[in-house]
Amino acid sequence: MAEIGQKTLLDSGWLAARSTDVQLTGTQLTTTYPPTSPTSPWMEAVVPGTVLATLVENKVVGDPFYGLENETILDIADSGREYYTFWFFTKFQCKLSGAQHLDLNFRAINYSAEVYLNGHKRVLPKGMFRRHSLEVTDILNPDGSNLLAVLVHPPDHPGSIPPVGGQGGDHEIGKDVATQYVEGWDWIAPVRDRNTGIWDEVSISVTGPVKIIDPHLVSSFFDRYTRVYLHATTELENRSSWVAECSLNIQVTTELEGSVSLMEHLKTQHVSIPPRARIQYTFPQLFFYKPNLWWPNGMGKQSLYNVSITVDVKGHGESDSWGQLFGFRKIESHIDSATGGRLFKVNGQPIFIRGGNWILSDCLLRLSKERYKTDIKFHADMNLNMIRCWGGGLAERPEFYHYCDVYGLLVWQEFWITGDVDGRGVPVSNPNGPLDHDLFMLCAKDTVKLLRNHPSLALWVGGNEQVPPADINTALKNDLKLHPFFESQSENITSVEGLSTAYKDPSQYLDGTRVYIQGSMWDGFANGKGGFTDGPYEIQNPEDPFKDNFYKYGFNPEVGSVGIPVAATIRATMPREGWQIPLFKKLPNGYTEEVPNPIWQYHKYLPYSKPGKVHDQIELYGTPEDLDDFCLKAQLVNYIQYRALLEGWTSRMWSKYTGVLIWKTQNPWTGLRGQFYDHLLDQTAGFFGCRCAAEPIHVQLNLATYFIEVVNTTAEELSNVAIEASVWDLEGACPYYKVFDKLSLPPKKVVSISEMKYPKSKNPKPVFFLLLKLYHVSNYSIVSRNFYWLHVSGGDYKLLEPYRNKRIPLKITSKTFIKGSSYEVEMKVLNKSKKPDPKTLTYKNNFAVRNDDSDFDMTSLKPIPDTRTDLKQPTGLFQRLYRQFSRESDGLRVAEINGSDGGVAFFLNFSVHGAKLEHEEGEDSRILPVHYSDNYFSLVPGEEMSIKISFKVPPGVSPRVTLRGWNYHHGVHTVL
């Protein structure tokens, strides 16, 4: 028998077939003639997913992510909508008893569907971003075996792709409430089925006579966050024909350690619900004294409480239950008078936004918790604190938001409006948005209800580079207006009782807790007035972001650059003709034009030169010889580009800027531009340049002024610290060394320390390295470390080419902890070159422990193989992880690289592979994804670095860790 409150996912065992190939009706499919196996025309289906995902999985069409195979797939504009209209079929077991009821739930379908269950038909109306819940109690088969068929129709206006491509094709897709990127953009090719399919989870859920629907949780704060109230409102539906006498319970617990929880609150209320009625019930508010607050990444802990609501019906016991992880936090924002940018506050503390733009994780909508976890943790690893869900993509899923809650990423969520598809472009698109405005608002309200309880959700935005049509915009402003608790004058309210009784409880609002902004370039973003003032999106001179004229406005929602992945990704995603690197065409004006091969051009390659503005940044290292050489040099540029972008913005924190969002962090396709990691989940060096620049406390070199600066984005003053600055040449000598001590760094400030005297001194080396370390004087523990490779003004990096032949001795020590398929590896790398005088003070690189309980700064941790749990000592997530790892590998493994040269071990990077050392050409041996505490790092003579690496291995695979570098071409392999 089914269990009350149980949700069962229907995510396996699906079959699919093109509707024109099936000569049976939905009634026949779910009664007398069900398909029994994946025999033609039926095939195994990807659910959740799309029609195209199913066709790719079954190799009916080519892989649109590989080479030019997307061009071989029939576009819906040429095939007609019927070609991508598909049946999906599955079976499920469910047998009810007594007063039990069953709902069949579709969390999203694109674009409309007919549902048949055991011969009975239900119609799911249009709209990609709405939930459908069908009560099917009366049409279940008595024996518990049920047949389900769903006929899914594509969007009504799939549009066509003009020969020149463009942003959103011919823009017809904008007439529907659906994703708008699917006709192609400057970062993706067209998606042939326009994302048709059952693209989000399908489930069945069992209740008793009364069902809980869309509870809303809100917290309000008084007396400087010492007094906090939890407000909760829920809808309750009585499905019976009699008055339901209910006990309604709300419970709040917090996890102490492992499976041990502390009960914070338990309150029971009596509610009577008339027959067949749906009511709204608001709980009496729950009081908390100094609860643990939820903070964004880099500001503190992401404290989460488990809130559960249950309803018991007299005579029937428990009828339904609902649960949510909830964070106590207050997010505010206003237009800053000093900068004109929108300034965000979390729990009263201003937060300097350094984040990224996000489309979606996979353009075939093969969405999974595992991938979401990796995606969001990658953003936390990069020290980012906000993700913008761009309006041409998705209203992201609860699993995405769950991991943003866990890892502390604030989310800017846009609705489905983009300027390119809603009012401009060639041809000019429909200025009035989707044809059905009521449908848009229905989807918008349902999306708000789906996502509003997540603490990470920071703001709603009407659209990308466009305001929604006037009636939609007005409706959104009204529906999402702030409750007085969350307006700027709320500081004057001293208690809940002090608020006028004319105001509703805040949990009775649709939202009311976070601001609505009408568009991504309005009201404190870009120029604030909708002018086209985001960007640029191309290669930059590294010093330019530090200059006053680089960007005029206080908050840039989109600025981007290059993003070619490593050579292994090119080989894994393209045939041999795609391994050809761009031609470097010399122009009369002295600049270089890159001419990419057709496959790179199709995958939206963005050049590393901007003739007339930026000299080719790869060519600064010498003309690349082959794919490996090109991609390695590109990683050097990626690192510099994104570090400079973020450091340039951070250098003007609060004086000129309140935030910046990089366009973009990743690609939902195998694109070759604007990304910190590729679609295979391998990081570019830009990932680690970003990670460095976005540290909460960061030492940096202003590339425009050559002043050393320290950025403290935290709320705490940092005292008794010092900066060690050392310059290293290509011979391993240290021509400049200076310590700036007795420093105090005030909170939320950028402090200019001193101008670098090198290379203004006599006879500077044409290429040199600069190492900056901010450390505590008391114990030499490192707070921030930053390594630069630099050339004199007007120079280049070509002297690094012969430096590749240096044989610099290294010692690599590894220690491994294993639990099942999960590996945690600590790699210590020592540059054994003799240290010249003066000796550096901090060569061991013992990193200071971060106090925000973040789990991505693994350099601060020591492995703990002990499996015991000590509840008296609260520990961070990774410390708990280490305690769970039951098997420690046999001792330390040591590898050494002998060499007689001295100097910097330059641009070292780890990767993880299957243990087979020899692979066929083009074969991808990498194990992905992998989380690194740092990568693409360099070590000066005598310096040691500890790198933590975590990953999971596929069944039957033995992993090996490989270390390569600028002057370590063949790599050092450590089998674990």
Side-chain angles (χ1 to χ4, degrees):
M1 293 298 175
E3 294 182 22
I4 291 292
Q6 173 183 313
K7 181 176 82 169
T8 302
L9 294 180
L10 305 182
D11 57 0
S12 61
W14 287 84
L15 300 173
R18 183 170 286 115
S19 62
T20 52
D21 293 339
V22 177
Q23 307 306 316
L24 300 170
T25 66
T27 300
Q28 291 172 316
L29 288 172
T30 56
T31 52
T32 52
Y33 299 102
T36 57
S37 63
T39 53
S40 182
W42 295 92
M43 63 193 89
E44 293 181 353
V46 178
V47 177
T50 62
V51 169
L52 189 53
T54 289
L55 295 175
V56 170
E57 179 69 19
N58 287 276
K59 296 182 169 50
V60 176
V61 299
D63 181 357
F65 288 63
Y66 187 83
L68 297 177
E69 289 193 14
N70 192 54
E71 287 294 280
T72 68
I73 302 173
L74 194 57
D75 192 83
I76 193 171
D78 302 313
S79 67
R81 292 174 68 247
E82 295 79 10
Y83 186 80
Y84 287 108
T85 301
F86 263 62
W87 281 106
F88 292 85
F89 176 86
T90 193
K91 304 174 182 179
F92 65 88
Q93 291 289 322
C94 184
K95 200 168 186 178
L96 302 179
S97 63
Q100 290 184 337
H101 296 254
L102 186 74
D103 289 308
L104 173 61
N105 310 300
F106 296 88
R107 208 164 65 181
I109 280 187
N110 190 28
Y111 188 62
S112 60
E114 295 141 42
V115 176
Y116 293 84
L117 180 62
N118 301 331
H120 298 266
K121 179 181 178 180
R122 303 284 178 86
V123 175
L124 301 186
K126 298 173 182 176
M128 184 173 179
F129 302 108
R130 63 188 297 183
R131 295 169 294 170
H132 307 275
S133 186
L134 307 175
E135 187 181 355
V136 295
T137 308
D138 295 336
I139 57 177
L140 296 179
N141 282 333
D143 65 357
S145 179
N146 300 282
L147 306 179
L148 172 64
V150 186
L151 182 64
V152 181
H153 300 275
D156 292 345
H157 302 88
S160 60
I161 315 303
V164 294
Q167 312 295 77
D170 65 357
H171 312 126
E172 283 292 293
I173 195 70
K175 294 180 178 179
D176 297 331
V177 184
T179 51
Q180 299 187 353
Y181 76 92
V182 289
E183 285 193 62
W185 222 267
D186 60 9
W187 45 268
I188 195 169
V191 180
R192 300 307 187 186
D193 69 342
R194 307 295 190 264
N195 282 162
T196 300
I198 306 174
W199 68 274
D200 199 4
E201 71 173 34
V202 185
S203 67
I204 53 174
S205 52
V206 180
T207 73
V210 174
K211 179 182 179 181
I212 298 169
I213 302 172
D214 290 334
H216 186 201
L217 307 177
V218 175
S219 50
S220 60
F221 303 87
F222 304 95
D223 293 344
R224 297 183 179 180
Y225 301 88
T226 60
R227 292 194 299 120
V228 180
Y229 294 89
L230 177 64
H231 308 260
T233 293
T234 186
E235 289 186 79
L236 299 167
E237 180 182 31
N238 182 3
R239 298 172 158 190
S240 71
S241 57
W242 31 266
V243 175
E245 300 294 340
C246 304
S247 292
L248 190 61
N249 308 291
I250 185 168
Q251 176 178 297
V252 183
T253 59
T254 183
E255 181 183 316
L256 293 180
E257 181 76 26
S259 60
V260 179
S261 296
L262 174 67
M263 176 78 72
E264 296 276 355
H265 270 287
L266 176 62
K267 184 168 285 191
T268 301
Q269 302 296 122
H270 179 263
V271 183
S272 294
I273 309 175
R276 308 291 182 192
R278 182 185 284 202
I279 68 166
Q280 180 175 284
Y281 179 80
T282 300
F283 285 90
Q285 61 212 16
L286 303 179
F287 173 70
F288 294 78
Y289 181 69
K290 290 185 178 180
N292 296 322
L293 300 181
W294 183 93
W295 293 95
N297 187 29
M299 290 185 73
K301 297 180 181 180
Q302 289 75 54
S303 299
L304 294 168
Y305 291 76
N306 195 347
V307 180
S308 61
I309 297 174
T310 58
V311 58
D312 289 9
V313 176
K314 187 176 181 180
H316 295 274
E318 184 174 305
S319 183
D320 200 5
S321 62
W322 175 90
Q324 175 75 39
L325 286 175
F326 182 74
F328 289 102
R329 64 96 181 96
K330 183 178 183 180
I331 296 177
E332 305 165 276
S333 72
H334 64 272
I335 298 175
D336 177 46
S337 59
T339 63
R342 183 157 289 273
L343 191 152
F344 288 85
K345 287 184 176 182
V346 179
N347 304 330
Q349 293 289 334
I351 175 172
F352 188 71
I353 298 296
R354 290 173 293 188
N357 284 269
W358 166 272
I359 314 300
L360 67 164
S361 66
D362 181 83
C363 73
L364 301 189
L365 302 186
R366 296 167 294 193
L367 310 178
S368 70
K369 290 181 180 179
E370 293 76 17
R371 178 143 190 144
Y372 274 137
K373 182 178 182 180
T374 297
D375 279 318
I376 304 310
K377 189 178 185 308
F378 272 177
H379 286 74
D381 289 347
M382 287 188 283
N383 290 316
L384 299 179
N385 54 28
M386 179 176 277
I387 298 179
R388 174 192 172 207
C389 294
W390 176 74
L394 295 183
E396 266 300 354
R397 301 296 89 195
E399 291 77 17
F400 170 93
Y401 276 90
H402 167 75
Y403 289 112
C404 287
D405 295 343
V406 168
Y407 290 113
L409 275 298
L410 296 170
V411 184
W412 158 336
Q413 178 68 65
E414 285 179 7
F415 295 106
W416 318 285
I417 297 288
T418 61
D420 302 273
V421 181
D422 296 290
R424 66 166 191 260
V426 180
V428 175
S429 52
N430 175 21
N432 203 31
L435 296 180
D436 191 336
H437 288 197
D438 290 339
L439 174 60
F440 186 98
M441 284 307 302
L442 187 153
C443 289
K445 290 179 180 179
D446 196 60
T447 296
V448 173
K449 291 178 179 179
L450 179 67
L451 302 176
R452 62 190 177 185
N453 292 316
H454 288 278
S456 57
L457 177 56
L459 73 159
W460 303 103
V461 177
N464 166 60
E465 298 174 348
Q466 185 71 310
V467 172
D471 59 326
I472 291 178
N473 195 35
T474 299
L476 288 170
K477 285 181 178 179
N478 183 61
D479 288 343
L480 297 174
K481 64 179 180 293
L482 289 172
H483 188 277
F485 282 151
F486 301 95
E487 294 174 346
S488 57
Q489 65 266 30
S490 64
E491 285 83 358
N492 300 322
I493 303 171
T494 58
S495 69
V496 176
E497 293 75 18
L499 197 62
S500 168
T501 55
Y503 291 110
K504 298 178 182 178
D505 184 280
S507 64
Q508 294 176 15
Y509 276 47
L510 178 63
D511 187 346
T513 67
R514 43 182 73 85
V515 70
Y516 167 76
I517 305 296
Q518 58 187 343
S520 67
M521 300 190 300
W522 278 258
D523 304 324
F525 300 123
N527 74 348
K529 302 174 182 177
F532 219 126
T533 49
D534 46 11
Y537 307 92
E538 59 202 13
I539 192 75
Q540 305 295 328
N541 294 305
E543 65 273 14
D544 286 351
F546 294 88
K547 296 179 179 178
D548 194 53
N549 62 355
F550 184 70
Y551 189 72
K552 295 181 180 179
Y553 308 105
F555 193 120
N556 193 342
E558 296 182 13
V559 61
S561 188
V562 291
I564 196 82
V566 298
T569 292
I570 299 293
R571 292 191 176 96
T573 57
M574 295 179 185
R576 181 176 293 277
E577 53 268 31
W579 303 356
Q580 298 299 315
I581 64 175
L583 298 175
F584 286 75
K585 181 180 176 183
K586 294 293 184 181
L587 302 179
N589 62 0
Y591 287 85
T592 296
E593 177 187 357
E594 290 184 19
V595 183
N597 69 63
I599 298 178
W600 283 31
Q601 193 165 16
Y602 189 80
H603 285 255
K604 314 295 184 177
Y605 175 72
L606 188 66
Y608 282 68
S609 63
K610 183 70 174 177
K613 182 181 177 183
V614 182
H615 285 286
D616 194 285
Q617 296 294 291
I618 289 178
E619 209 172 26
L620 289 179
Y621 299 88
T623 303
E625 297 179 355
D626 54 23
L627 181 64
D628 292 291
D629 192 29
F630 180 93
C631 288
L632 177 58
K633 288 172 177 172
Q635 298 317 311
L636 291 162
V637 183
N638 291 344
Y639 193 104
I640 289 175
Q641 279 288 293
Y642 288 108
R643 178 175 60 182
L645 271 178
L646 285 170
E647 287 184 342
W649 246 270
T650 306
S651 179
R652 305 294 186 90
M653 179 176 72
W654 312 132
S655 63
K656 185 176 181 182
Y657 301 127
T658 59
V660 62
L661 302 178
I662 299 295
W663 181 267
K664 52 191 174 16
T665 54
Q666 46 71 250
N667 271 300
W669 179 63
T670 47
L672 299 180
R673 68 193 302 162
Q675 59 189 351
F676 289 127
Y677 58 95
D678 60 45
H679 191 263
L680 303 183
L681 297 177
D682 199 0
Q683 300 97 328
T684 72
F687 182 107
F688 298 97
C690 168
R691 183 192 183 281
C692 172
E695 292 175 305
I697 301 170
H698 180 62
V699 62
Q700 64 185 40
L701 179 69
N702 186 311
L703 295 179
T705 66
Y706 259 63
F707 270 75
I708 297 171
E709 301 170 338
V710 179
V711 180
N712 182 5
T713 67
T714 74
E716 302 297 327
E717 181 176 8
L718 202 63
S719 58
N720 197 26
V721 293
I723 294 171
E724 178 187 86
S726 57
V727 170
W728 301 82
D729 65 22
L730 297 183
E731 285 71 48
C734 181
Y736 177 89
Y737 180 85
K738 188 170 179 61
V739 173
F740 305 90
D741 55 9
K742 299 179 181 178
L743 301 178
S744 291
L745 307 174
K748 309 286 184 184
K749 295 288 185 183
V750 179
V751 179
S752 184
I753 303 298
S754 177
E755 184 180 9
M756 273 288 298
K757 300 303 181 185
Y758 195 97
K760 289 187 176 181
S761 58
K762 290 182 180 180
N763 301 318
K765 298 299 177 74
V767 175
F768 58 95
F769 304 111
L770 171 65
L771 179 59
L772 299 176
K773 293 185 179 182
L774 174 67
Y775 63 94
H776 292 288
V777 173
S778 59
N779 59 7
Y780 298 113
S781 62
I782 307 297
V783 179
S784 173
R785 178 187 183 275
N786 202 346
F787 181 89
Y788 295 84
W789 51 102
L790 300 163
H791 60 71
V792 295
S793 179
D796 57 38
Y797 293 115
K798 290 178 181 175
L799 285 176
L800 285 174
E801 190 64 33
Y803 193 70
R804 298 173 88 160
N805 298 319
K806 286 267 190 177
R807 295 294 293 173
I808 295 169
L810 293 181
K811 180 180 179 181
I812 304 116
T813 306
S814 65
K815 195 171 183 65
T816 305
F817 300 90
I818 307 168
K819 183 180 181 182
S821 62
S822 296
Y823 280 68
E824 298 282 338
V825 184
E826 181 183 25
M827 307 290 294
K828 287 186 177 180
V829 185
L830 170 66
N831 181 343
K832 293 176 63 180
S833 299
K834 184 180 178 182
K835 297 190 299 293
D837 291 328
K839 292 185 178 180
T840 54
L841 300 175
T842 60
Y843 64 93
K844 288 188 177 180
N845 281 328
N846 294 316
F847 282 81
V849 177
R850 291 259 291 269
N851 63 3
D852 60 358
D853 202 38
S854 59
D855 69 348
F856 52 87
D857 195 358
M858 296 171 66
T859 49
S860 67
L861 296 178
K862 298 296 182 186
I864 305 172
D866 189 359
T867 58
R868 294 170 297 174
T869 300
D870 184 357
L871 296 181
K872 296 179 182 179
Q873 299 295 326
T875 55
L877 175 58
F878 261 104
Q879 288 173 309
R880 294 203 301 269
L881 241 174
Y882 275 121
R883 286 201 175 106
Q884 293 171 13
F885 278 65
S886 56
R887 181 163 67 89
E888 182 181 341
S889 64
D890 298 330
L892 297 176
R893 296 179 184 270
V894 178
E896 298 210 24
I897 300 175
N898 295 320
S900 57
D901 295 323
V904 172
F906 182 52
F907 215 53
L908 303 170
N909 73 286
F910 284 109
S911 55
V912 183
H913 302 259
K916 188 169 65 171
L917 292 177
E918 299 297 328
H919 293 272
E920 296 179 10
E921 191 175 31
E923 181 183 355
D924 192 358
S925 66
R926 291 171 296 172
I927 293 173
L928 297 170
V930 181
H931 295 277
Y932 302 93
S933 63
D934 203 359
N935 218 350
Y936 294 97
F937 60 99
S938 302
L939 297 175
V940 303
E943 196 180 18
E944 184 178 61
M945 182 76 79
S946 176
I947 305 293
K948 302 298 197 310
I949 305 172
S950 61
F951 55 92
K952 290 186 176 181
V953 297
V957 173
S958 297
R960 62 183 172 91
V961 176
T962 297
L963 177 68
R964 286 189 171 89
W966 184 253
N967 33 11
Y968 303 93
H969 318 299
H970 301 293
V972 181
H973 310 290
T974 301
V975 179
L976 304 178

